[in-house]
Amino acid sequence: MDEVVISRAIVESYFKDLLGSMDVDVAIVGAGPSGMTAGYYLAMGGIRVAIFERRLSVGGGMWGGGMMFNRIVVQSEAKEILDELGISCKEYQEGYYTADAIEAASTLCSKAVKAGAKVFNLLSVEDVVIRQDDKITGLVLNWSAVSLADLHVDPLGVRAKLVIDATGHDAEVCRIVARKTGIRLEIRGEKSMWAEVGEREIVENTRLVCPGLLVAGMAVNAVFGSPRMGAIFGGMLLSGRKAAGLAMELLREG
Ligand code: 48F
């Protein structure tokens, strides 16, 4: 065994993918259920897609189910996504299905990666790249370890035709845009729990929020002032799929 061969293999194969992801069609921020679902459908559609995730693990808030009981609930509207991904589920009562959170998160991540989405963990998005004062054209990345260690290290920028904010409850990319650019983007803030309304509005409001930037998943409800919903995940899957479909339409329109 040659340690240098092992090290070279890791560095070269990683940087080949990172270099190939510096100018992509779609860059997704956040590898939770909505970001991974969007990544899966985009990659299946032949789109060059990179997903940047701050944490070591991908899957976001899916692993813990509800209050660490590692089961998720999915409503019938989203069951076809579970079926397409090959995630097993059981009908609990009419319209409600349960799935194992571990199977759901790991299968979703595996399917997205196998479809061709490039996932980079341990990388935090700390800013956006902007042009003509109103169009988001890329992301500013840094190693998550840099902010954890409170180091002063400049970031790097990557280009994307479209960015999807799938950062969950904090809607981090949208907040950066609202705070640091001249783009008028109101962040209304997530509201208290109301599952039915939260699940409906998360899908309805999955959309382009300014040129170059779409929002998906729980970030949608943070931006549009909609309720949280707890451990029902159909809205995340449907929102991710819708964001991918909208992105593909926008890319076709040029
Ligand atoms: O939080 P998260 O799972 O978002 P989601 O896809 O799904 C929400 C559900 O998990 C759950 C829920 C269901 O009812 O409400 O909360 O909308 O995944 C968001 C991911 O984004 C990463 C974060 O670590 C998490 O894995 N993330 C957040 N900010 C950044 C980021 C950032 N600035 N850069 C990189 N990754």
Side-chain angles (χ1 to χ4, degrees):
M1 290 289 159
D2 185 335
E3 291 79 3
V4 175
V5 175
I6 296 168
S7 304
R8 275 208 180 114
I10 288 172
V11 172
E12 280 183 19
S13 66
Y14 182 85
F15 279 98
K16 185 166 173 274
D17 279 346
L18 187 59
L19 286 168
S21 298
M22 291 210 146
D23 191 350
V24 288
D25 295 322
V26 183
I28 299 174
V29 189
S34 63
M36 286 307 239
T37 306
Y40 166 77
Y41 282 105
L42 286 164
M44 289 297 283
I47 304 299
R48 289 177 311 123
V49 54
I51 305 178
F52 299 104
E53 166 57 48
R54 162 187 291 160
R55 291 175 192 262
L56 178 57
S57 61
V58 292
M62 210 180 207
W63 300 101
M67 213 178 83
M68 295 202 267
F69 303 141
N70 63 3
R71 298 292 180 277
I72 61 167
V73 171
V74 168
Q75 61 276 49
S76 42
E77 293 88 330
K79 183 181 178 290
E80 64 183 20
I81 300 181
L82 294 183
D83 292 343
E84 176 172 346
L85 293 166
I87 296 168
S88 27
C89 63
K90 285 199 188 95
E91 191 169 42
Y92 176 71
Q93 74 174 55
E94 201 187 335
Y96 296 81
Y97 295 83
T98 57
D100 181 304
I102 308 297
E103 182 189 343
S106 57
T107 306
L108 175 55
C109 296
S110 165
K111 288 282 182 173
V113 171
K114 283 183 186 296
K118 296 293 177 195
V119 181
F120 299 92
N121 58 343
L122 297 167
L123 279 177
S124 292
V125 170
E126 60 171 60
D127 208 339
V128 294
V129 181
I130 188 165
R131 287 289 182 280
Q132 274 78 46
D133 287 341
D134 72 346
K135 182 169 168 46
I136 307 306
T137 59
L139 294 170
V140 176
L141 305 174
N142 215 330
W143 298 112
S144 302
V146 166
S147 57
L148 285 172
D150 201 19
L151 300 175
H152 183 93
V153 178
D154 268 327
L156 292 174
V158 296
R159 188 159 42 220
K161 294 190 180 101
L162 291 168
V163 167
I164 299 178
D165 181 349
T167 59
H169 296 262
D170 293 330
E172 288 199 23
V173 182
C174 292
R175 283 188 200 277
I176 289 167
V177 168
R179 194 176 72 244
K180 294 188 67 174
T181 73
I183 295 170
R184 282 170 57 96
L185 179 55
E186 189 193 353
I187 313 289
R188 293 189 199 153
E190 176 190 297
K191 298 292 184 292
S192 294
M193 190 180 279
W194 187 354
E196 192 178 334
V197 175
E199 286 291 281
R200 186 178 67 240
E201 293 188 355
I202 200 170
V203 183
E204 280 173 8
N205 289 325
T206 295
R207 64 177 72 166
L208 192 73
V209 288
C210 69
L213 177 64
L214 291 128
V215 63
M218 213 47 218
V220 171
N221 286 11
V223 171
F224 290 94
S226 294
R228 65 187 308 176
M229 64 290 276
I232 181 157
F233 279 78
M236 303 303 142
L237 306 177
L238 292 164
S239 170
R241 185 175 70 177
K242 181 178 173 187
L246 291 173
M248 287 192 270
E249 269 175 40
L250 289 163
L251 290 169
R252 272 195 296 274
E253 288 164 10

Coordinates of all heavy atoms in Angstrom, one line a residue, residues 24-91:
V24 N -21.7 25.8 -13.3 CA -22.7 24.8 -13.5 C -24.0 25.4 -14.0 O -24.2 26.6 -14.0 CB -23.0 24.0 -12.2 CG1 -21.9 23.0 -11.9 CG2 -23.3 24.9 -11.1
D25 N -25.0 24.6 -14.4 CA -26.3 25.1 -14.7 C -27.0 25.5 -13.4 O -27.6 26.6 -13.3 CB -27.1 24.0 -15.4 CG -26.5 23.6 -16.8 OD1 -26.0 24.5 -17.5 OD2 -26.5 22.4 -17.1
V26 N -27.0 24.6 -12.4 CA -27.8 24.9 -11.2 C -26.9 24.5 -10.0 O -26.3 23.5 -9.9 CB -29.1 24.1 -11.1 CG1 -29.8 24.4 -9.8 CG2 -30.0 24.3 -12.3
A27 N -26.8 25.5 -9.1 CA -26.1 25.3 -7.8 C -27.2 25.3 -6.7 O -28.0 26.2 -6.6 CB -25.1 26.3 -7.5
I28 N -27.2 24.2 -5.9 CA -28.2 24.1 -4.8 C -27.5 24.3 -3.5 O -26.4 23.7 -3.3 CB -28.9 22.7 -4.9 CG1 -29.6 22.5 -6.2 CG2 -29.8 22.5 -3.7 CD1 -30.2 21.1 -6.4
V29 N -28.0 25.1 -2.7 CA -27.4 25.3 -1.3 C -28.3 24.5 -0.3 O -29.5 24.8 -0.1 CB -27.4 26.8 -0.9 CG1 -26.6 27.0 0.3 CG2 -26.8 27.6 -2.1
G30 N -27.6 23.5 0.3 CA -28.3 22.7 1.3 C -28.7 21.3 0.7 O -29.4 21.2 -0.3
A31 N -28.2 20.3 1.4 CA -28.5 18.9 1.0 C -29.5 18.3 1.9 O -29.4 17.1 2.2 CB -27.2 18.1 1.0
G32 N -30.5 19.0 2.3 CA -31.7 18.4 3.0 C -32.6 17.8 2.0 O -32.3 17.7 0.8
P33 N -33.8 17.3 2.4 CA -34.7 16.6 1.5 C -35.1 17.4 0.3 O -35.2 16.9 -0.8 CB -35.9 16.3 2.4 CG -35.8 17.0 3.7 CD -34.3 17.3 3.8
S34 N -35.3 18.7 0.5 CA -35.8 19.5 -0.7 C -34.6 19.7 -1.7 O -34.8 19.5 -2.9 CB -36.3 20.9 -0.3 OG -35.4 21.7 0.4
G35 N -33.4 20.0 -1.2 CA -32.3 20.2 -2.1 C -31.9 18.9 -2.8 O -31.6 18.9 -4.0
M36 N -31.9 17.8 -2.0 CA -31.5 16.5 -2.7 C -32.6 16.1 -3.7 O -32.2 15.5 -4.7 CB -31.4 15.4 -1.6 CG -30.1 15.6 -0.8 SD -28.7 15.7 -1.8 CE -27.7 14.3 -1.3
T37 N -33.9 16.4 -3.4 CA -34.9 16.0 -4.4 C -34.7 16.8 -5.7 O -34.8 16.3 -6.8 CB -36.3 16.2 -3.8 OG1 -36.4 15.5 -2.6 CG2 -37.4 15.7 -4.8
A38 N -34.5 18.1 -5.5 CA -34.2 19.0 -6.6 C -33.0 18.5 -7.4 O -33.1 18.4 -8.6 CB -34.1 20.5 -6.2
G39 N -32.0 18.2 -6.7 CA -30.7 17.7 -7.3 C -31.0 16.4 -8.1 O -30.5 16.2 -9.2
Y40 N -31.8 15.5 -7.5 CA -32.1 14.2 -8.2 C -32.8 14.5 -9.6 O -32.4 14.0 -10.6 CB -33.0 13.4 -7.3 CG -33.6 12.2 -8.0 CD1 -32.9 11.1 -8.3 CD2 -35.0 12.3 -8.4 CE1 -33.5 10.0 -9.0 CE2 -35.6 11.2 -9.1 CZ -34.8 10.1 -9.4 OH -35.4 9.0 -10.1
Y41 N -33.9 15.3 -9.5 CA -34.7 15.6 -10.7 C -33.9 16.3 -11.8 O -34.0 16.1 -13.0 CB -36.0 16.3 -10.4 CG -37.0 15.3 -9.9 CD1 -37.3 15.2 -8.5 CD2 -37.6 14.3 -10.7 CE1 -38.2 14.3 -8.0 CE2 -38.5 13.4 -10.2 CZ -38.8 13.4 -8.9 OH -39.7 12.5 -8.4
L42 N -33.0 17.3 -11.3 CA -32.2 18.0 -12.3 C -31.2 17.1 -12.9 O -31.0 17.1 -14.2 CB -31.5 19.2 -11.6 CG -32.4 20.4 -11.2 CD1 -31.7 21.3 -10.2 CD2 -32.8 21.2 -12.5
A43 N -30.5 16.3 -12.1 CA -29.5 15.4 -12.7 C -30.2 14.4 -13.6 O -29.7 14.1 -14.7 CB -28.8 14.7 -11.6
M44 N -31.4 13.9 -13.3 CA -32.1 13.0 -14.1 C -32.5 13.6 -15.5 O -32.6 13.0 -16.5 CB -33.4 12.5 -13.5 CG -33.2 11.5 -12.3 SD -32.4 10.0 -12.8 CE -33.7 9.1 -13.6
G45 N -32.6 15.0 -15.4 CA -33.0 15.7 -16.6 C -31.7 16.1 -17.4 O -31.8 16.9 -18.4
G46 N -30.6 15.7 -17.0 CA -29.3 15.9 -17.8 C -28.7 17.3 -17.5 O -27.9 17.8 -18.2
I47 N -29.2 17.9 -16.4 CA -28.7 19.3 -16.0 C -27.4 19.1 -15.2 O -27.3 18.2 -14.3 CB -29.8 20.0 -15.2 CG1 -31.1 20.1 -16.0 CG2 -29.3 21.4 -14.7 CD1 -31.0 20.8 -17.3
R48 N -26.4 20.0 -15.4 CA -25.2 20.0 -14.5 C -25.5 20.6 -13.2 O -25.8 21.8 -13.2 CB -24.1 20.7 -15.2 CG -23.5 19.9 -16.5 CD -22.4 20.7 -17.2 NE -22.9 22.0 -17.5 CZ -22.2 23.1 -17.1 NH1 -21.1 23.0 -16.4 NH2 -22.7 24.3 -17.3
V49 N -25.5 19.9 -12.2 CA -26.0 20.4 -10.9 C -25.0 20.0 -9.8 O -24.5 18.9 -9.7 CB -27.4 19.9 -10.5 CG1 -27.5 18.4 -10.6 CG2 -27.9 20.4 -9.2
A50 N -24.7 21.1 -8.9 CA -23.8 20.9 -7.8 C -24.6 21.3 -6.5 O -25.4 22.2 -6.5 CB -22.6 21.8 -7.9
I51 N -24.4 20.5 -5.4 CA -25.1 20.7 -4.2 C -24.0 21.0 -3.1 O -23.1 20.2 -2.9 CB -26.0 19.5 -3.7 CG1 -26.9 19.1 -4.8 CG2 -26.7 19.8 -2.4 CD1 -27.8 17.9 -4.5
F52 N -24.1 22.2 -2.5 CA -23.2 22.6 -1.4 C -23.8 22.5 -0.1 O -24.9 23.1 0.2 CB -22.6 24.0 -1.7 CG -21.9 24.1 -3.0 CD1 -22.6 24.7 -4.1 CD2 -20.7 23.5 -3.2 CE1 -21.9 24.7 -5.4 CE2 -20.0 23.6 -4.4 CZ -20.6 24.2 -5.5
E53 N -23.2 21.7 0.8 CA -23.7 21.4 2.1 C -22.7 21.7 3.2 O -21.6 21.3 3.2 CB -24.2 19.9 2.2 CG -24.5 19.4 3.6 CD -25.5 20.2 4.3 OE1 -26.6 20.5 3.7 OE2 -25.3 20.6 5.5
R54 N -23.2 22.5 4.2 CA -22.3 23.0 5.3 C -21.8 21.8 6.2 O -20.7 21.8 6.7 CB -23.1 24.0 6.1 CG -22.6 24.3 7.4 CD -23.5 25.2 8.2 NE -23.5 26.5 7.6 CZ -24.4 27.4 7.7 NH1 -25.5 27.1 8.5 NH2 -24.3 28.6 7.2
R55 N -22.7 20.9 6.4 CA -22.4 19.9 7.5 C -21.6 18.7 6.9 O -21.5 18.6 5.7 CB -23.7 19.3 8.0 CG -24.4 20.3 8.9 CD -25.8 19.8 9.3 NE -26.6 20.8 9.9 CZ -26.7 21.0 11.2 NH1 -26.1 20.3 12.0 NH2 -27.4 22.0 11.6
L56 N -21.2 17.8 7.8 CA -20.5 16.6 7.4 C -21.5 15.7 6.7 O -21.2 15.1 5.6 CB -19.9 15.9 8.6 CG -19.2 14.6 8.4 CD1 -18.0 14.7 7.4 CD2 -18.6 14.1 9.8
S57 N -22.7 15.6 7.3 CA -23.7 14.6 6.7 C -24.7 15.4 5.8 O -25.0 16.5 6.0 CB -24.4 13.9 7.8 OG -25.1 14.9 8.6
V58 N -25.1 14.6 4.8 CA -26.2 15.1 3.9 C -27.5 14.6 4.4 O -27.5 13.7 5.3 CB -26.0 14.7 2.5 CG1 -24.8 15.5 1.9 CG2 -25.8 13.2 2.3
G59 N -28.6 15.1 4.0 CA -29.9 14.6 4.4 C -30.7 15.6 5.3 O -31.9 15.5 5.6
G60 N -30.0 16.7 5.8 CA -30.6 17.7 6.5 C -31.4 17.2 7.7 O -30.9 16.4 8.5
G61 N -32.6 17.7 7.9 CA -33.4 17.3 9.0 C -34.3 16.1 8.9 O -35.2 15.8 9.7
M62 N -33.9 15.2 7.9 CA -34.7 14.1 7.7 C -34.4 12.9 8.6 O -35.3 12.1 9.0 CB -34.6 13.6 6.2 CG -35.8 13.0 5.6 SD -35.5 12.5 3.9 CE -37.2 12.5 3.3
W63 N -33.1 12.8 9.0 CA -32.7 11.6 9.7 C -33.4 11.4 11.0 O -33.7 10.3 11.5 CB -31.2 11.7 10.1 CG -30.3 11.8 8.9 CD1 -29.7 13.0 8.4 CD2 -29.9 10.8 8.0 NE1 -28.9 12.7 7.3 CE2 -29.0 11.3 7.1 CE3 -30.1 9.4 8.0 CZ2 -28.4 10.6 6.1 CZ3 -29.5 8.7 7.0 CH2 -28.7 9.2 6.1
G64 N -33.8 12.5 11.7 CA -34.3 12.5 13.0 C -35.8 12.3 13.1 O -36.4 12.3 14.2
G65 N -36.5 12.2 11.9 CA -38.0 12.0 11.9 C -38.6 13.1 12.7 O -38.3 14.3 12.6
G66 N -39.6 12.7 13.5 CA -40.2 13.7 14.4 C -39.7 13.5 15.8 O -39.8 12.4 16.4
M67 N -39.1 14.5 16.4 CA -38.6 14.5 17.8 C -37.7 13.3 18.1 O -37.8 12.7 19.1 CB -39.8 14.6 18.8 CG -39.4 15.3 20.1 SD -40.8 15.4 21.2 CE -40.7 13.8 22.0
M68 N -36.9 13.0 17.1 CA -35.9 11.9 17.2 C -36.6 10.5 17.1 O -35.9 9.5 17.3 CB -35.0 12.0 18.4 CG -34.1 13.2 18.4 SD -32.7 13.0 19.4 CE -33.2 13.8 20.9
F69 N -37.9 10.4 16.8 CA -38.5 9.1 16.5 C -38.3 9.0 15.0 O -38.9 9.7 14.2 CB -40.0 9.1 16.8 CG -40.3 9.4 18.2 CD1 -41.4 10.2 18.6 CD2 -39.5 8.9 19.3 CE1 -41.7 10.5 19.9 CE2 -39.8 9.2 20.6 CZ -40.9 10.0 20.9
N70 N -37.4 8.1 14.6 CA -36.9 8.2 13.2 C -37.9 7.6 12.1 O -37.5 6.7 11.4 CB -35.5 7.6 13.0 CG -35.4 6.2 13.4 OD1 -36.4 5.5 13.7 ND2 -34.2 5.6 13.4
R71 N -39.1 8.1 12.1 CA -40.1 7.8 11.1 C -40.5 9.2 10.5 O -40.6 10.2 11.2 CB -41.3 7.1 11.7 CG -41.0 5.8 12.3 CD -40.6 4.7 11.3 NE -40.3 3.5 11.9 CZ -39.1 3.2 12.5 NH1 -38.1 4.0 12.5 NH2 -38.9 2.0 13.1
I72 N -40.8 9.2 9.2 CA -41.4 10.4 8.6 C -42.8 10.0 8.1 O -43.1 8.8 7.9 CB -40.6 10.9 7.4 CG1 -40.4 9.9 6.3 CG2 -39.2 11.4 7.9 CD1 -39.9 10.5 5.0
V73 N -43.6 11.1 7.9 CA -44.9 10.9 7.3 C -44.9 11.6 6.0 O -44.3 12.7 5.8 CB -46.0 11.5 8.3 CG1 -47.4 11.5 7.6 CG2 -46.1 10.6 9.5
V74 N -45.6 11.0 5.0 CA -45.7 11.6 3.7 C -47.2 11.4 3.3 O -47.8 10.4 3.4 CB -44.8 10.8 2.7 CG1 -45.1 11.2 1.3 CG2 -43.3 11.2 3.0
Q75 N -47.7 12.5 2.7 CA -49.1 12.5 2.3 C -49.2 11.8 0.9 O -48.2 11.8 0.2 CB -49.7 13.9 2.3 CG -49.1 14.9 1.4 CD -47.9 15.6 2.1 OE1 -47.0 14.9 2.6 NE2 -47.8 16.9 2.0
S76 N -50.4 11.5 0.5 CA -50.6 10.7 -0.7 C -50.1 11.5 -2.0 O -49.5 10.9 -2.9 CB -52.0 10.3 -1.0 OG -52.9 11.3 -0.6
E77 N -50.2 12.8 -2.0 CA -49.7 13.6 -3.1 C -48.2 13.3 -3.5 O -47.8 13.5 -4.6 CB -49.9 15.1 -2.9 CG -51.3 15.6 -2.8 CD -51.9 15.5 -1.4 OE1 -51.5 14.6 -0.6 OE2 -52.8 16.4 -1.1
A78 N -47.5 13.0 -2.4 CA -46.0 12.9 -2.6 C -45.6 11.4 -2.7 O -44.4 11.1 -2.9 CB -45.2 13.6 -1.5
K79 N -46.5 10.5 -2.5 CA -46.2 9.1 -2.5 C -45.5 8.6 -3.7 O -44.5 7.8 -3.7 CB -47.4 8.2 -2.2 CG -47.0 6.7 -2.0 CD -48.2 5.9 -1.8 CE -47.8 4.4 -1.7 NZ -47.4 3.8 -3.0
E80 N -45.9 9.2 -4.9 CA -45.3 8.8 -6.1 C -43.8 9.1 -6.2 O -43.0 8.4 -6.8 CB -46.0 9.4 -7.3 CG -45.8 10.9 -7.4 CD -46.6 11.5 -8.6 OE1 -47.5 10.9 -9.1 OE2 -46.3 12.7 -8.9
I81 N -43.3 10.1 -5.4 CA -41.9 10.4 -5.4 C -41.2 9.3 -4.6 O -40.1 8.8 -5.0 CB -41.6 11.8 -4.8 CG1 -42.3 12.9 -5.7 CG2 -40.1 12.1 -4.7 CD1 -42.1 14.3 -5.2
L82 N -41.8 8.9 -3.4 CA -41.2 7.8 -2.7 C -41.1 6.6 -3.6 O -40.1 5.9 -3.6 CB -42.0 7.4 -1.4 CG -42.1 8.5 -0.3 CD1 -43.0 7.9 0.8 CD2 -40.8 8.9 0.2
D83 N -42.2 6.3 -4.3 CA -42.2 5.1 -5.2 C -41.1 5.2 -6.3 O -40.4 4.2 -6.5 CB -43.6 4.9 -5.9 CG -44.6 4.6 -4.8 OD1 -44.3 4.1 -3.7 OD2 -45.8 4.8 -5.2
E84 N -41.0 6.4 -6.9 CA -40.0 6.6 -7.9 C -38.6 6.3 -7.4 O -37.7 5.7 -8.0 CB -40.1 8.0 -8.5 CG -39.0 8.2 -9.5 CD -39.1 9.5 -10.3 OE1 -40.2 10.1 -10.3 OE2 -38.1 9.9 -11.0
L85 N -38.3 6.8 -6.1 CA -37.0 6.7 -5.5 C -36.8 5.3 -5.0 O -35.6 4.9 -4.7 CB -36.8 7.7 -4.4 CG -36.8 9.2 -4.9 CD1 -36.9 10.1 -3.7 CD2 -35.5 9.5 -5.6
G86 N -37.8 4.5 -4.8 CA -37.7 3.2 -4.3 C -37.6 3.2 -2.7 O -37.0 2.3 -2.1
I87 N -38.3 4.2 -2.1 CA -38.3 4.2 -0.7 C -39.6 3.6 -0.2 O -40.7 4.0 -0.6 CB -38.3 5.7 -0.2 CG1 -37.0 6.4 -0.6 CG2 -38.5 5.8 1.3 CD1 -36.9 7.9 -0.4
S88 N -39.5 2.5 0.6 CA -40.7 1.8 1.0 C -41.5 2.6 2.0 O -40.9 3.4 2.8 CB -40.4 0.4 1.6 OG -39.1 0.4 2.1
C89 N -42.8 2.5 2.0 CA -43.7 3.2 2.9 C -44.9 2.3 3.2 O -45.2 1.4 2.4 CB -44.1 4.5 2.4 SG -45.0 4.5 0.9
K90 N -45.6 2.6 4.3 CA -46.8 1.8 4.6 C -47.9 2.8 4.8 O -47.7 3.9 5.5 CB -46.6 1.1 6.0 CG -45.7 -0.1 5.9 CD -46.0 -1.0 7.1 CE -45.0 -2.1 7.2 NZ -43.8 -1.8 8.0
E91 N -49.1 2.5 4.4 CA -50.3 3.4 4.6 C -50.6 3.3 6.1 O -50.8 2.2 6.7 CB -51.5 3.0 3.8 CG -52.5 4.1 3.8 CD -53.6 3.9 2.8 OE1 -54.1 2.7 2.6 OE2 -54.0 4.9 2.2

